[in-house]
Amino acid sequence: MSAIDISSVSKHYGTTPILHEITLAVAAGEFVVLVGPSGCGKSTLLRMIAGLEEVSAGQIRIGGRLVNDLPPKERDIAMVFQSYALYPHMSVADNMAYSLRLRRTSEPDIETAINAAAAKLGLGPLLERKPKALSGGQRQRVAMGRAIVRRPKAFLFDEPLSNLDARLREHMRVEIKKLHRELGATSIYVTHDQIEAMTLADRIVAMNEGQVQQVGSPLDLYDRPANLFVAGFIGSPAMNMFPALYSRHPGRPTLVHAGLSLSLDDDPTLSEGAPLTVGIRPEHIAVGAGPVKGVVDLVEPTGLGTIVHFTLAGIALKAFSLARPVLTIGASVSIDLPAHRLHLFDAAGGRVGR
Amino acid sequence: MLRRTLYWSSHYFLIGLYVLFALFPLFWLIKVALTPNDLLYSEGIRLWPSRTSLEHFRFVLAHSEFPLFFRNSLIVSSSTAVSVTLISGAGGYGLSRFSFRGKPLLVSLMLITQMFPLVMLVAPMFRLLAPLGLTNSLTGLVIVYTAFNAPFATFLMQSFFDAIPKELEEAAMIDGATRFGAFRRIILPLTLPGIAATGGFVFTAAWSELLFALMLNSSSQASTFPVGLLSFVSKFSVDFGQMMAAGVLALIPACLFFLLIQRYLVRGLTAGAVKG
């Protein structure tokens, strides 16, 4: 297993810039997830690491070795594709053996390797089938088996679970995490699903518009998002956001918006009247007890909890409560927005305060 | 209910009429080829002669230059099919998988070449090939036919390669294959029907080509069978029986090929239409 170092890597197609000076160090054995909306450049970055796209500027090192000009086959990495990319005219066993045969491994060794991988992934009874006779989840496991058999320096995953239904995706997520624990493999995983990112990653790299927005552990990004993008992208239901002005006039730091006044715990030392965006996660809004009153618009019971849509001082907000409050549409309800749960972002979208 | 039956029966009736119309010349060809000389004019116009005979076939095979023409056609058509398949296979793969500067220009040029009526190109072709010694030669014909068929075949091949997802080669390259290795071991087996169809299509196109075979060759040594059929006319001053027999013999490879590849041909052409 090797570390992967990405230094100031940029990419453009003609004059269109795709990635801007991405720098990232992945430690050996670490599971890093690149997450972001479609078009943010995460798949392009992954393909550049794999050698399927040219690097416009910057350097990529795998295990300390500069790989910019090396073709994919010399980089000793394995990739799992979103569409699985299984060879349709070969059986499962042949699919897994293909890379070993290319390396002229002896047949007995190939058989041992295939059987070991098949045992880990439960593919034993499927070895002689062709891909078209397999279900989506089975194909996904064959794709992973094909990668494991090679014992590469690193694994690259390109949205491997996107083609599976929700239940299967949950199951495969667990399988992937267990596999990573067993193999200790350096892995880079691309997804647009923030739940996958949160549950699988040792570290998350949140990307948007070709730039890294924040790098950190999943809970780092959840508890202390560095900017508006990360705040709104991570977490479901998404964080509530509304504009407010910073004021110190009542004597203590306060956020003011259209009649709503929220006092803050500490003083982020901003200029008087500074425009801010305030964020608070739905699960941190207390419903039923609090100093302000909102009007209930909509109630969504999810079984696990209830999402309450309400309006407060002209702002539409969502609260998530595990307590199953009994509410009627149009009724007035007490709301608390605890000061220590507020996230503050300046006019440029960057985090201020704690 | 009645309207539906009426619709479908008139539908099939019209199709039947058209099939009759299209196949009738072929039927007539075979009928005349099997009619012995003494009955050819004396019996008038009948759907089938009272007595059939293979004398024309025997004559054509044993006493005319037809076997030579047939051999020439076989050589030219097979060589054209092979060279076009190789060239347009490579070109189609390139168009399908790579994007490069000048690609739109290249594609437009290839499309434009298809717009020229072939008759316009006879004289320039002659001027080009004569100094090179490629007139009156099978090689010259192969070169000309390859040049004419390559653009169309390239687009056909491109549509076949487009149907295979790029990830398959990428997976193979990551597994350790070179791009060519991935092409040979993964892509080729999957596109073989399409490639065979293109090859068959080019074969039949070259097989029945008359204009350039006539214009570029003056000796019978290098003539293909369509040219040979023409010379039959002057040689025997319309000996229909023998000409028809030669025609039937010449049609056999073309019909066989089409029979074999027609399923793939339809699939390939419609795949091209959808992908655009």
Side-chain angles (χ1 to χ4, degrees), chain B residues 34-52:
Chain B
L34 289 172
T35 312
N37 260 336
D38 48 336
L39 291 180
L40 213 47
Y41 295 103
S42 56
E43 276 197 323
I45 299 177
R46 291 164 59 118
L47 272 181
W48 197 253
S50 51
R51 195 175 24 111
T52 60

Side-chain angles (χ1 to χ4, degrees), chain A residues 54-66:
Chain A
E54 298 246 324
V55 178
S56 302
Q59 301 178 327
I60 299 181
R61 284 172 210 279
I62 299 179
R65 194 166 68 130
L66 184 68

Side-chain angles (χ1 to χ4, degrees), chain A residues 47 50 52 72-73 77-79 81 83 85-90 98-99 102 146 150, chain B residues 165-178 181-182 185-187 189-190:
Chain A
R47 289 168 62 88
L52 298 171
K73 68 189 195 94
I77 39 96
M79 189 149 162
F81 293 86
S83 59
L86 299 179
Y87 309 127
H89 54 301
M90 299 188 200
Y98 184 68
S99 57
L102 279 175
R146 189 172 62 175
R150 294 188 37 203
Chain B
K166 282 193 352 180
E167 282 89 18
L168 280 184
E169 286 125 276
E170 290 175 351
M173 292 200 292
I174 288 181
D175 271 350
T178 56
R185 270 177 242 141
I186 307 291
I187 306 300
L190 293 172

Side-chain angles (χ1 to χ4, degrees), chain B residues 167-206:
Chain B
E167 282 89 18
L168 280 184
E169 286 125 276
E170 290 175 351
M173 292 200 292
I174 288 181
D175 271 350
T178 56
R179 188 172 267 279
F180 186 73
F183 175 75
R184 194 161 59 90
R185 270 177 242 141
I186 307 291
I187 306 300
L188 219 53
L190 293 172
T191 50
L192 222 42
I195 292 174
T198 311
F201 185 84
V202 171
F203 182 93
T204 44

Side-chain angles (χ1 to χ4, degrees), chain A:
Chain A
M1 282 304 140
S2 301
I4 299 180
D5 283 289
I6 301 161
S7 319
S8 293
V9 161
S10 301
K11 172 80 182 167
H12 33 256
Y13 287 124
T15 48
T16 322
I18 307 287
L19 289 169
H20 308 266
E21 303 209 354
I22 310 285
T23 300
L24 180 65
V26 179
E30 195 181 12
F31 197 113
V32 167
V33 174
L34 305 178
V35 72
S38 301
C40 70
K42 54 194 192 294
S43 281
T44 310
L45 184 59
L46 193 78
R47 289 168 62 88
M48 281 160 63
I49 300 172
L52 298 171
E53 300 273 356
E54 298 246 324
V55 178
S56 302
Q59 301 178 327
I60 299 181
R61 284 172 210 279
I62 299 179
R65 194 166 68 130
L66 184 68
V67 299
N68 280 30
D69 297 316
L70 286 183
K73 68 189 195 94
E74 314 237 342
R75 298 192 187 198
D76 200 15
I77 39 96
M79 189 149 162
V80 180
F81 293 86
Q82 181 177 355
S83 59
Y84 326 128
L86 299 179
Y87 309 127
H89 54 301
M90 299 188 200
S91 68
V92 166
D94 287 333
N95 260 278
M96 298 210 290
Y98 184 68
S99 57
L100 297 176
R101 291 213 177 102
L102 279 175
R103 264 188 253 163
R104 303 193 203 285
T105 317
S106 71
E107 283 300 319
D109 287 341
I110 292 182
E111 188 149 344
T112 325
I114 293 182
N115 287 334
K120 268 204 196 68
L121 294 163
L123 293 173
L126 304 174
L127 283 176
E128 291 312 309
R129 288 208 210 162
K130 292 245 172 63
K132 60 175 177 252
L134 301 173
S135 72
Q138 289 168 333
R139 287 184 206 175
Q140 186 51 273
R141 281 185 276 149
V142 174
M144 299 211 293
R146 189 172 62 175
I148 293 175
V149 138
R150 294 188 37 203
R151 308 184 153 277
K153 293 207 177 68
F155 285 101
L156 305 176
F157 296 87
D158 191 357
E159 307 206 39
L161 305 184
S162 298
N163 285 5
L164 303 175
D165 63 70
R167 179 65 78 229
L168 201 48
R169 228 180 293 158
E170 270 176 42
H171 175 79
M172 291 303 298
R173 237 170 45 208
V174 174
E175 295 292 317
I176 292 179
K177 188 141 186 158
K178 280 198 220 161
L179 211 58
H180 176 251
R181 221 178 29 210
E182 246 185 80
L183 298 175
T186 312
S187 306
I188 302 187
Y189 187 104
V190 163
T191 181
H192 61 272
D193 184 332
Q194 49 100 30
I195 302 265
E196 274 173 36
M198 294 286 291
T199 53
L200 289 171
D202 291 332
R203 270 194 306 157
I204 298 182
V205 178
M207 290 178 67
N208 191 31
E209 291 179 353
Q211 285 176 315
V212 172
Q213 303 291 321
Q214 188 173 356
V215 179
S217 75
L219 291 180
D220 269 348
L221 267 72
Y222 191 85
D223 293 333
R224 297 179 54 78
N227 56 36
L228 279 176
F229 167 76
V230 179
F233 192 82
I234 304 280
S236 181
M239 185 188 279
N240 293 293
M241 294 193 205
F242 56 91
L245 294 175
Y246 179 77
S247 169
R248 233 185 261 108
H249 274 171
R252 48 192 312 224
T254 318
L255 297 168
V256 183
H257 172 91
L260 177 68
S261 207
L262 299 164
S263 26
L264 294 168
D265 279 354
D266 54 13
D267 185 352
T269 326
L270 299 163
S271 51
E272 180 63 30
L276 299 174
T277 308
V278 184
I280 181 163
R281 293 210 179 271
E283 63 268 25
H284 296 150
I285 298 181
V287 174
V292 287
K293 281 218 179 294
V295 177
V296 177
D297 294 324
L298 190 68
V299 175
E300 289 182 294
T302 66
L304 170 65
T306 312
I307 304 176
V308 182
H309 299 250
F310 62 93
T311 314
L312 173 65
I315 316 162
L317 296 170
K318 279 184 286 203
F320 182 79
S321 169
L322 290 172
R324 297 210 185 164
V326 177
L327 300 162
T328 40
I329 313 282
S332 176
V333 63
S334 299
I335 299 288
D336 186 22
L337 304 172
H340 67 286
R341 294 296 195 187
L342 296 173
H343 302 262
L344 303 177
F345 303 95
D346 62 25
R351 186 186 189 79
V352 288
R354 289 176 289 106

